[in-house]
């Protein structure tokens, strides 16, 4: 526990006080840089009704480098691979220290509403999304039901 | 904002594995019929052993993943393949291989996410229960590997899935092992698995009340091994004590930081200069990592000139990089960079027998790999501009590299891979192998620490301090440290401080 940057303290406090609708991000009890995240599947998307668990880690040089985020719940999405890794520009070369944990999570939620099969991470998923979108959406709904709903 | 950017290499579709014409080999137990045997288990087992060999010699983290690892990932893409991989791993990873536990972590971490049912199948497949645990000493390798695997799964699936995996039977199985009557290596990893399950709060409460329902709290018994001379039991004691201080608190038990005697200690591992997941003993002289990341720490004492010596007593024999660093060395734990991985630090890794400087390894010849109980001596001589490493008193390497960048501001420092532990002697005790060819000094004779600085608070208390701290208004909107006094031309954005802008 190297001295925690004030920026992280401030962001954490704000996330607790003014949570983002549809997103919960709670710091781990033993690690102030590790957050348990749950994103609800956006309405009118194939992920609606699902609760998706993610992990978010703030590296040592945050906010100078981006948070590391990955899905822990399996998801059928052209920009998210089988290991849960996410393809999102702001997590890579488009990162800016003016962005925050909340903006990152909002972007991920937006990615669920608007999959981008032209820039895929999961090739087979993207391929189906392009040639047969309705089947891809059916698969995404099926995976959401199987892996992202508690029953 | 946020557009998809898959320019980075997406994993290529891999070539299908050679399908084996041979009939599947027998595994230890007959699996339930729903587990199909897609790939010959012998093939998977040999890939695992190959990966273990490669991991032991692989030094460049930029290298492509070893081929065996890639093949194993392909196998694990199907749910039945994932299950097969787990069962094979549990069967073959040897107890005495220092990479074994780490290899299980690596394999599971880099495999596709398993579905909850798949993980539940693992538990059913092994018939985890108290009864099974009671028979456990029969095959310590398998039982130890099951415990390691459960811990990795708990860590990977933190949240509702981790709760689903910690069934009554799983809990019975793990808790039964928390007793000195079982093989130490199983006890250790059963305890670590319970710690990892407790990352999910719901599980923590379940485990805590379960432990308290036992007549004699098992962790209070195991805690007494913290000073054991048997190096595996010592780890058990360390983990039990850490868990009692940090995770499974007992009403009425005094926390170890309040009882530990630190009067003679004037230099220790710095609890304010350590990466998140490293665990420090309450006297600040022992550190352990159980997380799948490369965790680092610096000592409290800063060296500017002179000849200084300290010793690390190895409790485990896996990958650790122990040596010297400055404030400029960064702890990039999640990327696998630590001490010796930049130009401001140098270290020795006696598992792979490499001196590390600037993330480049230099092989040390004719020296055995280190083993538990060995003593690594680290000497820094600013006059001769030399860093010397000794193993049990024998000089094994000398390097001048770090003096290219640094003249002063050195700290003893170390990095730890998963499941590694080391004890440090900064001069509080007699050195086992003091250097004989030059006069040296030790930190403990010159260090000064206040009572507060010597306190290693449990993380929970430290986190509470953070939550309650306040951040003033009118400060930099990027770092929240400096005053937000600057304006950026030409966009006229305000509110950042001068440090951030520079």
């Amino acid at each position: 526990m190297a001295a925690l940057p004030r920026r992280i303290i401030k962001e954490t406090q704000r996330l607790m006080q003014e949570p983002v609708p549809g997103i919960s991000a709670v710091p781990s009890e033993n690690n102030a840089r590790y957050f348990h995240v749950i994103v609800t599947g956006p309405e009118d998307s194939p992920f609606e009704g699902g609760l998706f668990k993610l992990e978010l880690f703030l590296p040592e040089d945050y906010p100078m480098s981006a948070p590391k985020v990955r899905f822990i719940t399996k998801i059928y999405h052209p920009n998210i691979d089988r290991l849960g890794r996410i393809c999102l520009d702001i997590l890579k070369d488009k990162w800016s220290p003016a962005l925050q944990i909340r903006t990152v999570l909002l972007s991920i939620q937006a990615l669920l509403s608007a999959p981008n099969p032209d820039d895929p991470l999961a090739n087979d998923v993207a391929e189906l999304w392009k040639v047969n979108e309705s089947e891809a959406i059916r698969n995404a709904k099926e995976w959401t039901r199987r892996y992202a709903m508690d029953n | 904002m946020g557009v998809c950017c898959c320019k980075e290499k997406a994993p290529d579709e891999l070539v299908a594995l050679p399908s084996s014409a041979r009939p599947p080999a027998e595994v230890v137990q007959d699996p339930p019929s729903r587990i199909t045997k897609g790939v010959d288990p012998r093939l998977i087992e040999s890939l695992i052993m190959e990966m273990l060999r490669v991991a032991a010699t692989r030094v460049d983290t930029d290298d492509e993943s070893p081929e065996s690892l890639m093949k194993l990932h392909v196998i694990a893409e199907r749910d039945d393949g994932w299950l097969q991989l787990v069962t094979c791993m549990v069967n073959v990873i040897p107890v005495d291989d220092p990479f074994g536990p780490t290899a299980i972590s690596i394999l599971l971490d880099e495999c596709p996410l398993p579905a909850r049912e798949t993980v539940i199948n693992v538990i059913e497949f092994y018939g985890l229960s108290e009864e099974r645990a009671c028979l456990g000493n029969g095959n310590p390798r398998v039982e130890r590997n099951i415990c390691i695997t459960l811990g990795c799964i708990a860590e990977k699936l933190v949240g509702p899935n981790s709760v689903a995996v910690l069934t009554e039977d799983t809990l019975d199985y793990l808790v039964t092992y928390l007793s000195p009557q079982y093989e130490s290596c199983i006890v250790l990893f059963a305890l670590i698995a319970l710690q990892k399950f407790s990352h999910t709060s719901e599980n923590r409460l379940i485990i805590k009340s379960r432990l308290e329902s036992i007549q004699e709290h098992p962790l209070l018994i195991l805690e007494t091994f913290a000073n054991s001379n048997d190096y595996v039991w010592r780890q058990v004691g360390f983990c039990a004590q850490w868990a009692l201080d940090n995770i499974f608190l007992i009403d009425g038990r005094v926390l170890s930081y309040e009882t530990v005697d630190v009067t003679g200690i004037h230099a220790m591992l710095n609890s304010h200069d350590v990466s998140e997941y490293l665990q420090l003993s309450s006297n600040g002289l022992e550190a352990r990592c159980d997380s799948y990341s490369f965790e680092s720490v610096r000592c409290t004492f800063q060296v500017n000139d002179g000849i200084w010596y300290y010793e690390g007593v190895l409790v485990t024999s896996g990958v650790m990089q122990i040596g010297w660093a400055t404030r400029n060395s960064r702890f990039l734990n999640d990327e696998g960079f630590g001490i010796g991985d930049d130009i401001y630090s140098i270290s020795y890794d006696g598992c792979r027998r490499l001196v590390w400087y600037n993330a480049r390894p230099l092989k040390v010849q004719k020296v055995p790999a280190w083993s538990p109980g060995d003593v690594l001596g680290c000497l820094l001589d600013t006059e001769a501009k030399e860093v010397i490493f000794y193993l049990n008193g024998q000089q094994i390497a000398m390097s001048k590299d770090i003096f290219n960048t640094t003249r002063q501001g050195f700290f003893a420092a170390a990095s730890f891979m998963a499941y590694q532990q080391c004890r440090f002697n900064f001069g509080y005790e007699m050195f086992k192998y003091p250097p004989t060819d030059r006069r040296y000094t030790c930190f403990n004779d010159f260090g000064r620490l206040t009572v507060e600085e010597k306190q290693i608070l449990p993380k929970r208390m430290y986190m509470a301090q953070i939550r309650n701290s306040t951040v003033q208004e009118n400060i930099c909107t990027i770092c929240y440290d400096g005053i937000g006094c600057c304006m950026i031309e030409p966009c006229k954005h305000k509110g950042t401080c001068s440090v951030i802008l520079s």
Side-chain angles (χ1 to χ4, degrees):
Chain A
M1 23 181 179
L4 196 69
R6 285 225 190 84
R7 154 88 182 235
I8 297 180
I9 298 172
K10 186 73 186 172
E11 273 198 63
T12 307
Q13 289 175 345
R14 239 194 101 201
L15 279 168
M16 303 288 108
Q17 287 155 6
E18 311 155 38
V20 192
I23 296 173
S24 115
V26 183
S28 149
E29 287 171 343
N30 291 316
N31 185 344
R33 290 174 177 271
Y34 182 96
F35 291 74
H36 301 287
V37 177
I38 294 170
V39 172
T40 40
E43 275 177 40
D44 302 323
S45 80
F47 310 103
E48 184 174 354
L51 290 177
F52 296 90
K53 178 103 182 64
L54 294 87
E55 57 179 10
L56 182 147
F57 177 77
L58 304 173
E60 193 202 25
D61 47 355
Y62 180 81
M64 290 310 158
S65 71
K68 303 201 182 292
V69 198
R70 82 172 175 181
F71 275 78
I72 295 177
T73 307
K74 276 169 98 79
I75 182 166
Y76 193 87
H77 190 291
N79 311 110
I80 300 162
D81 77 1
R82 289 184 185 78
L83 277 74
R85 294 177 299 199
I86 308 163
C87 174
L88 191 66
D89 59 353
I90 59 159
L91 292 176
K92 308 219 172 89
D93 52 333
K94 292 286 187 332
W95 169 254
S96 146
L99 296 169
Q100 298 188 357
I101 298 172
R102 75 172 53 228
T103 43
V104 165
L105 295 178
L106 281 167
S107 300
I108 291 172
Q109 204 180 31
L111 190 65
L112 297 188
S113 292
N116 179 4
D118 292 326
D119 208 359
L121 191 58
N123 278 317
D124 51 340
V125 178
E127 200 49 43
L128 189 62
W129 218 284
K130 280 197 280 194
V131 299
N132 188 346
E133 190 176 351
S134 61
E135 194 189 330
I137 288 175
R138 227 176 12 252
N139 285 346
K141 281 183 178 160
E142 171 61 17
W143 280 45
T144 304
R145 199 185 57 72
R146 271 175 66 189
Y147 304 122
M149 291 186 193
D150 262 330
N151 41 28
Chain B
M1 99 200 52
V3 191
C4 167
C5 71
C6 292
K7 299 299 173 256
E8 270 185 36
K9 266 187 285 177
D12 292 326
E13 283 303 305
L14 292 164
V15 187
L17 282 156
S19 59
S20 174
R22 285 173 297 180
E26 283 299 312
V27 265
V28 176
Q29 276 178 304
D30 273 331
S33 53
R34 79 186 99 144
I35 299 170
T36 53
K37 290 179 183 168
V39 185
D40 186 344
R42 280 174 299 187
L43 171 67
I44 302 182
E45 293 186 356
S46 72
L47 285 171
I48 291 169
M49 293 310 284
E50 188 187 317
M51 184 232 142
L52 208 55
R53 275 193 301 276
V54 173
T57 51
R58 186 162 163 246
V59 290
D60 192 346
T61 41
D62 291 336
D63 275 359
E64 288 281 305
S65 292
E67 200 188 331
S68 47
L69 191 55
M70 311 269 271
K71 284 183 181 168
L72 290 168
H73 291 168
V74 177
I75 293 171
E77 279 192 7
R78 290 167 49 113
D79 285 343
D80 53 351
W82 190 88
L83 201 51
Q84 261 197 313
L85 171 70
V86 167
T87 52
C88 291
M89 231 164 36
V90 165
N91 269 343
V92 296
I93 303 254
V95 168
D96 54 5
D97 188 316
F99 275 104
T102 317
I104 295 178
S105 293
I106 292 176
L107 266 168
L108 287 177
D109 194 72
E110 296 186 13
C111 275
L113 293 165
R116 175 191 302 189
E117 301 87 83
T118 317
V119 179
I120 304 269
N121 278 351
V122 173
I123 291 161
E124 289 173 0
F125 173 73
Y126 283 112
L128 297 188
S129 64
E130 188 180 337
E131 290 70 42
R132 174 163 183 135
C134 291
L135 301 168
N137 277 346
N139 193 342
R141 181 182 73 231
V142 169
E143 304 308 314
R144 183 202 73 154
N145 289 344
I146 290 175
C147 292
I148 297 174
T149 305
L150 286 174
C152 294
I153 290 171
E155 193 168 41
K156 196 173 167 70
L157 296 181
V158 61
N161 285 350
S162 167
V163 176
V165 175
L166 192 69
T167 59
E168 195 70 15
D169 286 338
T170 317
L171 189 58
D172 281 343
Y173 174 76
L174 290 171
V175 169
T176 303
Y177 276 131
L178 301 183
S179 158
Q181 73 184 87
Y182 293 101
E183 290 274 344
S184 52
C185 67
I186 312 178
V187 181
L188 175 63
F189 284 100
L191 175 51
I192 292 172
L194 287 168
Q195 288 193 9
K196 293 188 185 233
F197 273 109
S198 72
H199 288 182
T200 304
S201 315
E202 199 178 329
N203 281 340
R204 179 168 57 77
L205 298 174
I206 293 170
I207 300 168
K208 183 172 182 290
S209 69
R210 177 57 183 277
L211 293 174
E212 285 167 1
S213 75
I214 301 168
Q215 199 175 18
E216 244 186 310
H217 197 296
L219 296 188
L220 288 175
I221 301 170
L222 297 181
E223 180 188 26
T224 59
F225 291 99
N227 289 313
S228 172
N229 289 325
D230 177 293
Y231 289 99
V232 183
W233 282 114
R234 188 182 181 93
Q235 296 178 62
V236 172
F238 184 101
C239 292
Q241 186 160 75
W242 200 87
L244 285 169
D245 285 335
N246 289 276
I247 310 171
F248 309 121
L249 283 77
I250 303 174
D251 286 340
R253 175 182 175 271
V254 185
L255 296 170
S256 3
Y257 87 94
E258 294 172 291
T259 55
V260 68
D261 179 16
V262 286
T263 30
I265 300 178
H266 306 297
M268 54 169 63
L269 301 170
N270 190 343
S271 63
H272 296 287
D273 195 8
V274 55
S275 56
E276 271 67 28
Y277 280 119
L278 198 70
Q279 305 169 355
L280 303 183
S281 64
S282 49
N283 69 356
L285 296 178
E286 196 158 344
R288 177 175 179 89
C289 171
D290 281 320
S291 136
Y292 175 51
S293 49
F294 203 40
E295 301 292 316
S296 303
V297 62
R298 272 179 284 253
C299 173
T300 51
F301 189 81
Q302 176 171 338
V303 167
N304 287 324
D305 53 32
I307 303 170
W308 298 84
Y309 179 76
Y310 76 93
E311 288 179 344
V313 184
L314 301 161
V315 179
T316 58
S317 57
V319 173
M320 289 170 270
Q321 291 177 197
I322 302 172
W324 302 92
T326 72
R327 286 257 178 251
N328 292 326
S329 336
R330 293 164 61 200
F331 298 165
L332 300 173
N333 42 357
D334 53 316
E335 283 162 38
F337 284 82
I339 309 307
D341 294 334
D342 55 38
I343 54 173
Y344 307 105
S345 59
I346 182 159
S347 65
Y348 181 66
D349 158 14
C351 177
R352 293 177 290 188
R353 286 166 278 179
L354 303 166
V355 173
W356 289 92
Y357 175 72
N358 196 14
R360 281 192 213 107
L362 188 72
K363 186 91 189 159
V364 173
Q365 305 295 335
K366 294 181 188 142
V367 176
W370 60 23
S371 42
D374 281 354
V375 176
L376 181 76
C378 301
L379 183 121
L380 180 100
D381 183 338
T382 63
E383 289 152 28
K385 299 207 176 354
E386 288 175 351
V387 165
I388 300 177
F389 295 107
Y390 309 83
L391 191 65
N392 298 327
Q394 294 294 311
Q395 178 170 332
I396 47 177
M398 192 275 284
S399 169
K400 290 172 171 289
D401 289 337
I402 196 170
F403 293 97
N404 294 337
T405 59
T406 308
R407 291 289 137 95
Q408 56 180 16
F410 297 96
F411 294 85
S415 299
F416 301 74
M417 249 199 204
Y419 315 118
Q420 303 308 317
Q421 184 174 334
C422 183
R423 200 151 66 82
F424 292 85
N425 182 8
F426 299 126
Y428 173 59
E429 292 168 37
M430 294 278 282
F431 287 124
K432 201 104 180 263
Y433 301 100
T436 48
D437 62 337
R438 57 192 101 189
R439 290 174 68 90
Y440 64 90
T441 40
C442 70
F443 313 146
N444 210 57
D445 289 347
F446 291 84
R448 288 287 169 270
L449 294 172
T450 64
V451 174
E452 287 75 38
E453 284 168 335
K454 286 187 195 180
Q455 266 183 4
I456 299 192
L457 291 183
K459 297 225 168 176
R460 198 171 290 275
M461 297 170 73
Y462 171 78
M463 292 289 288
Q465 279 183 1
I466 288 174
R467 273 194 295 277
N468 297 327
S469 63
T470 53
V471 177
Q472 64 180 98
E473 300 303 317
N474 295 334
I475 54 175
C476 174
T477 54
I478 301 292
C479 68
Y480 291 92
D481 277 325
I483 299 292
C485 56
C486 301
M487 182 162 69
I488 306 169
E489 294 287 354
C491 58
K492 311 253 190 270
H493 277 119
K494 283 191 279 190
T496 44
C497 69
S498 52
V499 180
I500 287 293
L501 286 183
S502 66

